[in-house]
Amino acid sequence: MDKRTSYIEIKQEQAIKDGVICVCKQVSERKIRKAVRDGNKKFIAVKQATEAASGCGLCQPFVEDIITDELSKKAK
Ligand code: FES
């Protein structure tokens, strides 16, 4: 395994441990939930507030799910 591959693996393991949803921008689930609680109710607003999903974009569905979940908590 070359150095770059092992570096990426270490980073990915760390990201999972820290609850990082967006690997590109290192944004955690906690940060996304906080942004929603701070009044960012739409995906685009959360994206601007946290930078989540502003890299490769692959995490967008997960970010959207977290926003939906956080908003449903609020409604209860
Ligand atoms: S993982 Fe979030 S933009 Fe790439």
Side-chain angles (χ1 to χ4, degrees):
M1 192 186 303
D2 63 42
K3 271 187 180 174
R4 188 172 185 274
T5 309
S6 58
Y7 174 78
I8 291 168
E9 271 191 13
I10 290 167
K11 280 288 178 195
Q12 282 173 336
E13 279 170 25
Q14 187 69 37
I16 291 165
K17 223 172 78 191
D18 293 346
V20 169
I21 298 298
C22 177
V23 178
C24 292
K25 300 288 176 176
Q26 293 288 300
V27 183
S28 66
E29 180 172 351
R30 216 167 88 185
K31 194 171 179 184
I32 294 165
R33 288 188 185 276
K34 187 181 180 307
V36 177
R37 287 197 302 275
D38 288 347
N40 300 295
K41 294 190 172 100
K42 296 226 160 96
F43 169 74
I44 191 74
V46 173
K47 183 179 176 179
Q48 283 168 351
T50 64
E51 286 199 318
S54 57
C56 71
L58 287 177
C59 62
Q60 182 172 339
F62 304 112
V63 174
E64 286 175 333
D65 282 352
I66 294 166
I67 296 168
T68 306
D69 184 61
E70 193 60 34
L71 289 173
S72 74
K73 268 192 202 169
K74 243 186 179 178
K76 284 176 195 165

